Amino acid sequence: MKSLKYIIVLGIVTGVTFSSCEDWLDENPKYSVDNTVIFDSEETAKQALDACYGYLTTQDCFGQGVYEMSVGSSGLSWSQTNGSEPDRYASLNATTAGDAVLWAWRGLYKAIQECNTFIVNMNNGSLSEDLKENYTAQASFIRGLCYYYLSMMWGDVPLRIEPSAHDAISEPKSSFIDVVGQIFIDWKYAYDNLPENGEHVDGYIDKLGVAAYLAKLNWMLSCNPDLADRKADYLKDAKFWCDLVYGKYSLQSRYSDLFVNHVQNSPESIFQLNFTTSSDYSWNRLNWIFAADNASPGTAYQRIRSTKAFHDLFRGTYPGDPRYDATFLTRWYDVKNGSSYHLISDSVYTYPYKTYKTKSTSRVADAVAYIPYDQMDDPTNPTVEELTVLQEQFYTENTTTGEKNVVNLVGQFATSVGDHAGWPLWKKQIDFNCQAQQSNNNIILYRYADFLLLMADVYNELDETDRAANLVNEVLRRARTSVSPEASQPVDFPRGLSKDQMRKKIFYERLFELAAEPEMYFDIRRGGTETLKMALEIVNRHDITYEHCEGEAQHNNPDQRFRDRYFGEDATFYGKVSDESFLKKNLHLPIPHSELSANDGLSAADQNFGY
């Protein structure tokens, strides 16, 4: 018996029936809404549409699975090197049997399945044509959104656009371009049939939001090297949709306010998912994924952190950038154990800080050492040699004997120390008021800053490089003005850059602005192995990471569970990732083993390259 377990979500809709409890829990569910249901009241139809949106917020989908795989498998995240599933995907060696891979896959397909049934039942009902078009358009958008994530993260995938039934379990893979074709159909239908002047309500898509997604899809395809022969057409269409959307949204005045509890009606939100801890199925478990256990009242696992390399690239590129403190958590108050025994304001410190004891005849006090980036030749890449010299400014001294003990920053950050202190936390999805495992934070899946940066890339590729710089500078200006007095960083992009220079700068700027957000995995891979290589070489050229992985210090690491990573079989060639097979494999995630076993339309030969 083939078995895939799904979470029950839809159980509130009047007039909707389910297959038997046994089938629902222990078998592949072929449908959850009876295909013969006719929606004859607006209330029932709205409840069913809300349930379609609700499936996006489950633990399988964006409540954990999709988000976890996108950030954790990006190549710029760190997880404990203990042989666990996060170890595998952070090492870019995701397993086909991994829980998070399966959750993400089935969460997206579950939402698709419900949309398929909803669309059929909605159109067979007796409600007004205007309502049918509106609700069907929204369900079509959701289905297209799910296929957008599936195709960008897995490539060729089964394309299901009809309600499932017991005799319709088999479905072979469709080509990436065919899946993309269906996304265009769904989103164009949504755009054509949503009200022209519909009120924007957070948690629901509107006409303008669909236009923004059509701009993004065309831009993503224009970046794809396998579709180079159609690049001009994709850019033309991307520009059309960009011009339609530009100026219709605005940037949140404070960058950090994008990542707080219940961001409602943010002017920057193009589409967001709303969560509540009172729901039985809407589960935002991202605090559990990203936070340290003592950073909030809730239960957390610090499962995914930032690499030191990306942290230093950001910190060194834009010292004083207000986005830094909203992106990384490097020090915090221990809410569970308190910090009364410390004489400093925060009680927990991680990279690039190290706490140490200073001794005197009367007391023992805590002090904090740190990497002095402004004293480095390259602030984006501190070297072990520089730290060895500069760390002598941090020392403990016995006031009786005069004996000094240097604080060993190199030992802390280039050698395993048996704890998590060597890596900063991703901060954006940490909920400092989280209780248990559920967070109140809403998730903006697509925001206007993302749109402005992709629009800049479109205009650059169309040889309007100065216009591209102006668009990027809108985002940078907001970053500077997020604090008072205004910060000096990040500085504006200058005019006069070449097309290649602008393309490269936009790539890194998207990493800084959108770090640890829902599309991190495929944003990095949008240009194929070329852009993936650019991201991974951030890690491979980082001197502290190199010392941790390949230098003399790695032979003396006392705890192998806390190690850095190098990427590619030839990673010992300092700073480079030239293993094309490794890069090609990591353009996509593996198809879950459970899907290959359960879907008679797939075989082992359909597994993605390299898995």
Side-chain angles (χ1 to χ4, degrees):
M1 179 186 298
K2 295 177 178 179
S3 175
L4 285 176
K5 292 186 182 292
Y6 284 74
I7 295 175
I8 296 178
V9 176
L10 184 59
I12 60 172
V13 182
T14 305
V16 177
T17 61
F18 296 85
S19 52
S20 72
C21 183
E22 180 180 356
D23 284 345
W24 180 250
L25 291 176
D26 295 330
E27 298 284 337
N28 283 300
K30 309 307 185 295
Y31 53 84
S32 64
V33 180
D34 189 321
N35 295 338
T36 64
V37 166
I38 295 176
F39 294 125
D40 55 5
S41 78
E42 182 174 348
E43 179 184 3
T44 299
K46 185 178 184 303
Q47 286 178 332
L49 178 63
D50 287 348
C52 291
Y53 277 106
Y55 276 103
L56 299 176
T57 68
T58 63
Q59 176 183 326
D60 278 9
C61 212
F62 291 99
Q64 180 177 343
V66 176
Y67 209 121
E68 178 177 348
M69 291 308 301
S70 183
V71 178
S73 300
S74 65
L76 295 178
S77 290
W78 179 87
S79 188
Q80 191 173 347
T81 51
N82 58 0
S84 64
E85 181 189 5
D87 181 7
R88 296 290 298 274
Y89 63 59
S91 300
L92 301 190
N93 189 27
T95 173
T96 63
D99 287 338
V101 174
L102 172 59
W103 292 341
W105 175 278
R106 75 182 182 186
L108 292 166
Y109 270 111
K110 181 58 183 168
I112 289 168
Q113 173 182 308
E114 296 306 315
C115 289
N116 288 341
T117 300
F118 176 84
I119 289 168
V120 169
N121 292 345
M122 190 70 202
N123 284 287
N124 287 338
S126 57
L127 298 174
S128 71
E129 290 303 312
D130 286 348
L131 192 66
K132 285 183 180 180
E133 288 176 351
N134 186 340
Y135 283 14
T136 300
Q138 293 191 59
S140 296
F141 164 76
I142 297 169
R143 182 171 66 184
L145 180 70
C146 293
Y147 276 123
Y148 172 69
Y149 275 85
L150 282 163
S151 62
M152 297 301 171
M153 296 176 80
W154 280 275
D156 302 343
V157 297
L159 184 59
R160 300 185 174 102
I161 57 173
E162 299 293 337
S164 298
H166 282 304
D167 60 353
I169 185 62
S170 299
E171 190 69 48
K173 288 201 302 186
S174 292
S175 70
F176 172 79
I177 200 65
D178 285 345
V179 177
V180 166
Q182 183 60 45
I183 301 170
F184 274 121
I185 291 171
D186 280 340
W187 285 355
K188 189 61 167 61
Y189 179 87
Y191 179 80
D192 289 341
N193 290 281
L194 285 170
E196 189 69 38
N197 297 309
E199 180 183 358
H200 176 73
V201 179
D202 284 335
Y204 294 86
I205 196 65
D206 61 11
K207 194 180 191 75
L208 194 62
V210 177
Y213 268 103
L214 284 164
K216 172 169 279 201
L217 180 58
N218 278 287
W219 168 70
M220 286 290 294
L221 298 175
S222 76
C223 296
N224 190 324
D226 294 335
L227 303 175
D229 59 332
R230 301 172 64 176
K231 179 174 182 176
D233 292 334
Y234 289 131
L235 285 172
K236 178 182 176 182
D237 288 345
K239 180 181 181 300
F240 170 82
W241 293 109
C242 283
D243 290 344
L244 188 68
V245 172
Y246 178 71
K248 304 299 194 305
Y249 298 88
S250 58
L251 297 170
Q252 185 81 29
S253 59
R254 287 171 52 90
Y255 182 80
S256 60
D257 287 345
L258 292 163
F259 315 106
V260 298
N261 289 358
H262 294 294
V263 180
Q264 297 289 351
N265 301 315
S266 167
E268 192 166 336
S269 175
I270 294 174
F271 181 61
Q272 74 178 44
L273 299 176
N274 296 336
F275 292 85
T276 173
T277 56
S278 63
S279 171
D280 291 333
Y281 65 86
S282 175
W283 284 77
N284 182 344
R285 298 185 77 216
L286 299 183
N287 186 80
W288 184 83
I289 293 293
F290 292 109
D293 185 55
N294 58 1
S296 73
T299 303
Y301 185 57
Q302 53 197 14
R303 187 165 172 153
I304 303 171
R305 290 178 172 235
S306 170
T307 58
K308 294 193 285 277
F310 180 70
H311 169 276
D312 286 355
L313 180 70
F314 193 128
R315 171 65 177 76
T317 300
Y318 291 137
D321 186 337
R323 296 176 299 181
Y324 172 87
D325 286 333
T327 302
F328 305 101
L329 185 65
T330 58
R331 53 189 182 180
W332 63 91
Y333 176 78
D334 185 337
V335 300
K336 293 184 177 178
N337 298 308
S339 62
S340 60
Y341 56 93
H342 282 276
L343 298 179
I344 48 181
S345 59
D346 300 292
S347 56
V348 183
Y349 286 76
T350 68
Y351 186 90
Y353 299 99
K354 174 177 171 55
T355 55
Y356 66 100
K357 302 292 184 181
T358 60
K359 298 180 179 180
S360 69
T361 56
S362 60
R363 62 187 175 89
V364 176
D366 289 321
V368 181
Y370 56 89
I371 296 177
Y373 291 94
D374 59 345
Q375 299 180 45
M376 303 292 153
D377 287 341
D378 178 2
T380 70
N381 190 6
T383 67
V384 171
E385 289 76 15
E386 287 174 312
L387 290 185
T388 301
V389 173
L390 293 172
Q391 68 187 0
E392 293 184 6
Q393 67 183 281
F394 305 112
Y395 59 87
T396 63
E397 182 176 1
N398 188 307
T399 57
T400 301
T401 66
E403 181 182 2
K404 294 182 178 180
N405 293 308
V406 172
V407 176
N408 189 357
L409 290 176
V410 175
Q412 173 76 12
F413 299 137
T415 304
S416 174
V417 293
D419 60 34
H420 291 84
W423 296 268
L425 299 174
W426 291 123
K427 185 179 180 181
K428 290 179 178 177
Q429 287 302 328
I430 295 178
D431 178 0
F432 292 99
N433 297 306
C434 182
Q435 301 294 325
Q437 293 185 9
Q438 290 198 63
S439 169
N440 264 319
N441 282 8
N442 296 330
I443 301 173
I444 301 178
L445 291 189
Y446 188 11
R447 56 189 179 87
Y448 191 50
D450 179 352
F451 171 83
L452 289 173
L453 293 175
L454 74 85
M455 185 176 179
D457 201 44
V458 169
Y459 268 90
N460 183 57
E461 295 303 321
L462 294 173
D463 299 313
E464 296 189 41
T465 301
D466 284 347
R467 175 72 192 281
N470 290 338
L471 290 164
V472 174
N473 290 341
E474 290 186 45
V475 178
L476 301 180
R477 188 175 308 114
R478 185 274 298 278
R480 293 195 301 274
T481 58
S482 285
V483 293
S484 181
E486 180 177 328
S488 60
Q489 295 282 353
V491 296
D492 282 352
F493 280 18
R495 288 178 170 270
L497 294 172
S498 70
K499 188 174 182 178
D500 287 343
Q501 287 173 325
M502 178 63 73
R503 184 188 300 118
K504 185 175 181 180
K505 283 180 70 67
I506 290 174
F507 175 80
Y508 289 111
E509 196 55 48
R510 287 185 64 83
L511 294 181
F512 299 147
E513 174 71 24
L514 303 168
E517 295 189 38
E519 295 186 8
M520 192 173 184
Y521 180 87
F522 51 86
D523 201 352
I524 284 173
R525 292 155 175 80
R526 68 180 182 272
T529 58
E530 180 180 353
T531 53
L532 176 58
K533 181 179 179 180
M534 288 170 64
L536 298 187
E537 288 185 350
I538 294 171
V539 175
N540 278 22
R541 67 172 175 258
H542 188 244
D543 195 74
I544 296 173
T545 298
Y546 177 82
E547 177 67 19
H548 204 168
C549 294
E550 303 294 340
E552 181 177 339
Q554 65 95 11
H555 299 294
N556 300 315
N557 281 345
D559 193 333
Q560 296 299 304
R561 297 171 301 167
F562 296 90
R563 295 285 309 280
D564 266 319
R565 294 171 176 82
Y566 235 50
F567 294 119
E569 293 181 2
D570 59 346
T572 53
F573 182 41
Y574 177 72
K576 300 296 183 182
V577 183
S578 56
D579 184 344
E580 286 298 320
S581 179
F582 173 82
L583 291 168
K584 182 180 177 182
K585 171 188 174 182
N586 279 289
L587 291 179
H588 294 114
L589 295 172
I591 297 173
H593 175 74
S594 299
E595 177 70 16
L596 293 176
S597 299
N599 185 346
D600 295 333
L602 299 178
S603 69
D606 290 310
Q607 183 56 272
N608 281 336
F609 174 83
Y611 294 100

